[in-house]
């Protein structure tokens, strides 16, 4: 028979629920992946006949405030006479639109697209034989400034626009039974990545012009994928670290060997097969596959950060920690099975 401690006291469950309440913002408790981790740890503790280690404190994935992140960018202007000459190279209309009442209140997506259009227009005017040499000198200076600060325009767009903050902040889990969330925004992220590659390329004449980003704004604002992925990676890592600590802390409770009562080991093998292999590991694999699906497309998130900004947001670092905690967890099970003379053939490395 299995030990009778498989139902924990109500007060432990209540404390665990209260600690997790801030991050259960969507769906009922039992629908959350947290329920899988809670059940897994409880079953292990029951077999060990041990205390239940405190659940991890899960935190929301939140960017610093806009004020902390916004980079100041100097304004560049042209005199009215010089601006009029720009009709000859089809740039006057763009500048006039930007200086209109509506143009002056553009959101960051439209403002960034304006910077890309302006760069194209400036290069077109510099190549025109209808523009005076003196004006070309001024245009070249402006173009140099625009290229110099284009990374800052992009940084501000990614980290301070409402749409991208909605995309990057994470308050809830990815849910496997809803299919791949990554596919919803992959096209949008690819466009952002192309912009990042254009900015990072020194010889821009050799690279295709990046797409405008405003067409992707609504999708990125409404489909929170990167933030939920970041939350799921981080929260899963915290849970796996806690559960591995549970296993290691009370490992001496699991007895096996010749002429020893190995009942607890057999019960723990059942937990491994029925809970970890069937429930927890498939979810970890799902989260990992979601990361892999957009890993290349999310390089723009950190590609342009200076050294001082390195800790603003790192999906890659969260994934590394997620993988490390999964490996440490598997390492415990391998060690236990070896100690007890059993094969671990059913495990699927994450």
């Amino acid at each position: 028979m299995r030990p009778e401690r498989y139902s924990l006291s109500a007060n432990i469950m209540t404390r665990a629920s209260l600690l997790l309440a801030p991050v259960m913002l969507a769906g009922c408790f039992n629908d959350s992946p947290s329920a899988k981790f809670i059940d897994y740890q409880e079953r292990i503790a029951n077999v060990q006949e041990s205390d239940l280690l405190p659940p991890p404190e899960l935190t929301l994935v939140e960017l610093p405030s806009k004020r902390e992140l916004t980079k100041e960018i100097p304004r560049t202007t042209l005199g009215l006479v010089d601006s009029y000459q720009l009709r000859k190279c089809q740039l006057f209309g763009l500048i006039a639109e930007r200086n209109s009442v509506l143009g002056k209140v553009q959101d960051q997506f439209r403002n960034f697209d304006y910077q890309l259009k302006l760069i194209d227009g400036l290069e077109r005017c510099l190549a025109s034989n209808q523009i005076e040499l003196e004006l070309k000198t001024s245009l070249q200076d402006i173009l140099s400034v625009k290229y110099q600060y284009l990374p800052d325009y992009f940084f501000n767009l990614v980290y301070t626009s409402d749409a991208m903050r909605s995309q990057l902040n994470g308050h809830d889990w990815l849910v496997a039974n809803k299919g791949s969330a990554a596919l919803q925004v992959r096209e949008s992220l690819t466009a952002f990545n192309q912009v990042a590659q254009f900015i990072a390329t020194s010889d821009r004449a050799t690279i295709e012009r990046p797409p405008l980003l405003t067409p992707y704004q609504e999708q990125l604002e409404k489909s929170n994928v990167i933030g939920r992925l970041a939350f799921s990676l981080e929260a899963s890592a915290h849970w796996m670290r806690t559960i591995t600590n549970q296993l290691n802390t009370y490992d001496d409770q699991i007895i096996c060997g010749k002429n020893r009562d190995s009942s607890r080991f057999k019960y723990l093998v059942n937990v491994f097969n029925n809970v970890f292999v069937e429930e927890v590991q498939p979810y970890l694999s799902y989260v990992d596959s979601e990361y892999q699906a957009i890993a290349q497309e999310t390089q723009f998130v950190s590609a342009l950060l200076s050294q001082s900004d390195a800790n603003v947001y790192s999906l890659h670092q969260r994934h590394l920690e997620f993988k490390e905690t999964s490996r440490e967890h598997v390492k415990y099970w391998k060690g236990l099975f070896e100690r007890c003379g059993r094969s671990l053939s059913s495990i699927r490395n994450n």
Side-chain angles (χ1 to χ4, degrees), residues 109 154 157-158 161-169 181-193 212-228 294 297-298 300-301:
F109 271 75
F154 190 55
L157 173 66
V158 171
S161 69
D162 289 339
M164 288 306 297
R165 289 176 72 86
S166 294
Q167 179 60 223
L168 296 176
N169 288 334
L183 295 180
Q184 299 173 19
V185 295
R186 190 169 183 174
E187 182 181 358
S188 301
L189 301 182
T190 296
F192 271 73
N193 218 32
L212 299 179
L213 298 179
T214 301
Y216 303 104
Q217 181 176 4
E218 183 177 0
Q219 182 188 55
L220 289 167
E221 189 164 18
K222 292 183 176 180
S223 301
N224 175 238
V225 175
I226 299 178
R228 284 190 295 136
I294 57 175
E297 284 74 19
T298 55
F300 74 87
V301 175

Side-chain angles (χ1 to χ4, degrees), residues 23-311:
V23 296
M24 299 304 161
L25 304 181
C28 68
F29 177 79
N30 288 333
D31 289 336
S32 169
S34 279
K36 299 181 187 294
F37 294 111
I38 291 171
D39 181 54
Y40 186 32
Q41 186 187 6
E42 287 177 358
R43 288 175 182 267
I44 290 169
N46 283 334
V47 173
Q48 294 172 330
E49 296 189 9
S50 66
D51 293 333
L52 192 67
L53 296 185
E57 295 185 9
L58 307 184
T59 57
L60 306 182
V61 175
E62 293 280 2
L63 288 168
S65 69
K66 293 182 181 181
R67 180 178 297 182
E68 291 179 65
L69 294 177
T70 300
K71 293 181 179 291
E72 296 298 324
I73 302 173
R75 293 177 59 86
T76 53
T77 59
L78 281 172
L80 290 177
V81 175
D82 289 339
S83 297
Y84 189 79
Q85 284 193 61
L86 301 180
R87 293 180 185 273
K88 299 177 181 178
C89 55
Q90 294 80 51
L91 187 56
F92 181 82
L94 178 67
I95 295 175
E97 182 181 351
R98 178 68 174 85
N99 290 329
S100 68
V101 174
L102 291 178
K104 290 179 179 178
V105 293
Q106 287 179 338
D107 63 31
Q108 285 161 296
F109 271 75
R110 287 172 175 77
N111 181 48
F112 185 79
D113 283 352
Y114 167 75
Q115 304 303 325
L116 293 178
K117 292 177 183 178
L118 181 60
I119 285 173
D120 281 346
L122 289 169
E123 292 187 336
R124 186 170 58 249
C125 291
L126 289 170
S128 172
N129 57 14
Q130 299 185 52
I131 304 300
E132 296 176 2
L133 183 60
E134 184 178 354
L135 177 56
K136 283 189 176 183
T137 300
S138 297
L139 295 180
Q140 183 60 63
D141 291 341
I142 293 173
L143 179 62
S144 297
V145 171
K146 289 298 178 185
Y147 271 131
Q148 177 184 349
Y149 286 98
L150 192 58
D152 291 345
Y153 280 111
F154 190 55
F155 182 97
N156 286 345
L157 173 66
V158 171
Y159 290 107
T160 70
S161 69
D162 289 339
M164 288 306 297
R165 289 176 72 86
S166 294
Q167 179 60 223
L168 296 176
N169 288 334
H171 305 157
D172 201 7
W173 298 86
L174 289 172
V175 180
N177 61 17
K178 294 184 178 180
S180 176
L183 295 180
Q184 299 173 19
V185 295
R186 190 169 183 174
E187 182 181 358
S188 301
L189 301 182
T190 296
F192 271 73
N193 218 32
Q194 289 172 335
V195 170
Q197 290 169 357
F198 173 75
I199 293 173
T201 302
S202 56
D203 187 5
R204 296 184 178 89
T206 64
I207 190 171
E208 183 180 353
R209 290 292 181 180
L212 299 179
L213 298 179
T214 301
Y216 303 104
Q217 181 176 4
E218 183 177 0
Q219 182 188 55
L220 289 167
E221 189 164 18
K222 292 183 176 180
S223 301
N224 175 238
V225 175
I226 299 178
R228 284 190 295 136
L229 176 57
F231 175 86
S232 300
L233 288 168
E234 187 173 299
S236 295
H238 288 326
W239 266 114
M240 293 308 292
R241 187 178 295 112
T242 295
I243 296 171
T244 304
N245 287 341
Q246 179 80 45
L247 287 164
N248 280 311
T249 300
Y250 300 104
D251 179 64
D252 59 358
Q253 298 287 84
I254 309 303
I255 300 170
C256 57
K258 189 175 180 179
N259 300 323
R260 306 292 298 275
D261 181 2
S262 58
S263 297
R264 285 182 185 168
F265 172 67
K266 293 175 182 177
Y267 297 145
L268 203 58
V269 169
N270 288 335
V271 173
F272 170 78
N273 286 324
N274 297 329
V275 185
F276 179 66
V277 173
E278 296 299 326
E279 297 290 337
V280 175
Q281 193 177 52
Y283 182 74
L284 298 177
S285 296
Y286 167 73
V287 173
D288 184 61
S289 68
E290 288 293 274
Y291 172 79
Q292 299 299 338
I294 57 175
Q296 294 300 316
E297 284 74 19
T298 55
Q299 290 182 1
F300 74 87
V301 175
S302 57
L304 301 175
L305 300 183
S306 66
Q307 189 64 35
S308 61
D309 299 316
N311 294 322

